[in-house]
Amino acid sequence: MSTKTNIDAEFAYGSGQINPIKAAAPGLVYDITEADFVSFLCGQGYNTTTLRRITGDNSSSCTKANNATVWDLNYPSFAVSAKSGQVTRVFHRTVTNVGSPVSTYKATVTAPPQLSIQVNPITLSFKSLGQKLSFSVTVTAEIPRTIISGSLVWDDGVHQVRSPVVAHSYA
């Protein structure tokens, strides 16, 4: 899982290797609902007819209220792309505490110089199981002809919840 030996970087190995023992107690999860996916599909240009074919739910519909973008999806990874030049994107995420009832997670960012990753807040302090806290990630990248990647890790001293951050160009 080294970018030195695998030039596809995050696209080749995603968030990392799965450790089945640790996967049973992840500490934090990025919850996502069917409604979140419906909003995502509407934001991708699906209309009510095609949405209903996909979901099998005849009450689903695309409206201005549920027309979301890909970066609105509460997903544990972050990606920016552009033809070239500098790009900045702000992502909003919410995590749910499924670890210790009282816990504090600190954000650690790893990134090459051409990739800036800012997390706000940098500390998440939970007081109970099931508690949800939100944060934002601002990614600024000088888009190269290749992929650049980094990561955000939420760490409470027991759990390390890793999210890949990728910037790439497209034709």
Side-chain angles (χ1 to χ4, degrees), residues 6 9 32 61 68 106 125 144 147 149 151:
N6 191 335
I32 197 161
S61 63
K106 293 184 180 171
S125 295
I147 299 167
S149 63
S151 65

mmCIF file of all heavy atoms in Angstrom, residues 6 9 32 61 68 106 125 144 147 149 151:
data_model
loop_
_atom_site.group_PDB
_atom_site.id
_atom_site.type_symbol
_atom_site.label_atom_id
_atom_site.label_comp_id
_atom_site.label_asym_id
_atom_site.label_seq_id
_atom_site.Cartn_x
_atom_site.Cartn_y
_atom_site.Cartn_z
ATOM 1 N N ASN A 6 3.028 1.742 -6.063
ATOM 2 C CA ASN A 6 1.751 1.678 -6.757
ATOM 3 C C ASN A 6 1.350 3.094 -7.160
ATOM 4 O O ASN A 6 0.804 3.842 -6.351
ATOM 5 C CB ASN A 6 0.687 1.048 -5.855
ATOM 6 C CG ASN A 6 -0.563 0.741 -6.637
ATOM 7 O OD1 ASN A 6 -0.837 1.366 -7.655
ATOM 8 N ND2 ASN A 6 -1.321 -0.223 -6.173
ATOM 9 N N ALA A 9 -2.011 5.014 -6.414
ATOM 10 C CA ALA A 9 -2.229 5.573 -5.073
ATOM 11 C C ALA A 9 -3.578 5.153 -4.496
ATOM 12 O O ALA A 9 -3.908 3.979 -4.483
ATOM 13 C CB ALA A 9 -2.066 7.076 -5.103
ATOM 14 N N ILE A 32 -25.090 6.771 6.620
ATOM 15 C CA ILE A 32 -25.686 7.230 5.372
ATOM 16 C C ILE A 32 -27.028 6.522 5.214
ATOM 17 O O ILE A 32 -27.175 5.361 5.602
ATOM 18 C CB ILE A 32 -24.735 6.967 4.182
ATOM 19 C CG1 ILE A 32 -25.139 7.782 2.984
ATOM 20 C CG2 ILE A 32 -24.600 5.509 3.880
ATOM 21 C CD1 ILE A 32 -24.025 7.937 1.969
ATOM 22 N N SER A 61 -38.994 10.961 -5.445
ATOM 23 C CA SER A 61 -39.002 11.959 -6.513
ATOM 24 C C SER A 61 -37.823 12.902 -6.343
ATOM 25 O O SER A 61 -37.290 13.070 -5.252
ATOM 26 C CB SER A 61 -40.320 12.742 -6.518
ATOM 27 O OG SER A 61 -40.460 13.454 -5.314
ATOM 28 N N ALA A 68 -28.746 17.001 -4.414
ATOM 29 C CA ALA A 68 -27.439 17.152 -3.773
ATOM 30 C C ALA A 68 -26.305 16.840 -4.741
ATOM 31 O O ALA A 68 -26.514 16.246 -5.792
ATOM 32 C CB ALA A 68 -27.351 16.236 -2.561
ATOM 33 N N LYS A 106 -8.766 13.217 17.735
ATOM 34 C CA LYS A 106 -7.994 14.329 17.175
ATOM 35 C C LYS A 106 -7.679 14.023 15.718
ATOM 36 O O LYS A 106 -7.362 12.897 15.361
ATOM 37 C CB LYS A 106 -6.707 14.532 17.965
ATOM 38 C CG LYS A 106 -7.004 14.999 19.370
ATOM 39 C CD LYS A 106 -5.777 15.295 20.154
ATOM 40 C CE LYS A 106 -6.220 15.750 21.543
ATOM 41 N NZ LYS A 106 -5.161 15.871 22.469
ATOM 42 N N SER A 125 -15.134 15.745 20.513
ATOM 43 C CA SER A 125 -15.295 15.202 21.865
ATOM 44 C C SER A 125 -16.703 14.658 22.037
ATOM 45 O O SER A 125 -17.680 15.414 22.004
ATOM 46 C CB SER A 125 -15.020 16.273 22.914
ATOM 47 O OG SER A 125 -13.665 16.681 22.859
ATOM 48 N N PRO A 144 -2.099 18.267 -10.593
ATOM 49 C CA PRO A 144 -1.021 17.860 -11.494
ATOM 50 C C PRO A 144 -1.572 17.012 -12.641
ATOM 51 O O PRO A 144 -2.775 16.804 -12.741
ATOM 52 C CB PRO A 144 -0.148 17.007 -10.579
ATOM 53 C CG PRO A 144 -1.155 16.335 -9.685
ATOM 54 C CD PRO A 144 -2.255 17.351 -9.472
ATOM 55 N N ILE A 147 -2.075 11.793 -10.037
ATOM 56 C CA ILE A 147 -2.850 11.778 -8.804
ATOM 57 C C ILE A 147 -1.951 12.215 -7.652
ATOM 58 O O ILE A 147 -0.798 11.804 -7.567
ATOM 59 C CB ILE A 147 -3.353 10.342 -8.517
ATOM 60 C CG1 ILE A 147 -4.251 9.857 -9.647
ATOM 61 C CG2 ILE A 147 -4.067 10.281 -7.187
ATOM 62 C CD1 ILE A 147 -4.533 8.376 -9.594
ATOM 63 N N SER A 149 -2.262 12.392 -3.327
ATOM 64 C CA SER A 149 -3.162 11.931 -2.283
ATOM 65 C C SER A 149 -2.570 12.141 -0.905
ATOM 66 O O SER A 149 -1.363 12.262 -0.726
ATOM 67 C CB SER A 149 -3.489 10.448 -2.490
ATOM 68 O OG SER A 149 -2.321 9.667 -2.372
ATOM 69 N N SER A 151 -4.227 11.924 3.534
ATOM 70 C CA SER A 151 -5.234 11.275 4.364
ATOM 71 C C SER A 151 -5.577 12.127 5.573
ATOM 72 O O SER A 151 -4.815 12.986 6.005
ATOM 73 C CB SER A 151 -4.752 9.905 4.818
ATOM 74 O OG SER A 151 -3.624 10.038 5.668
#
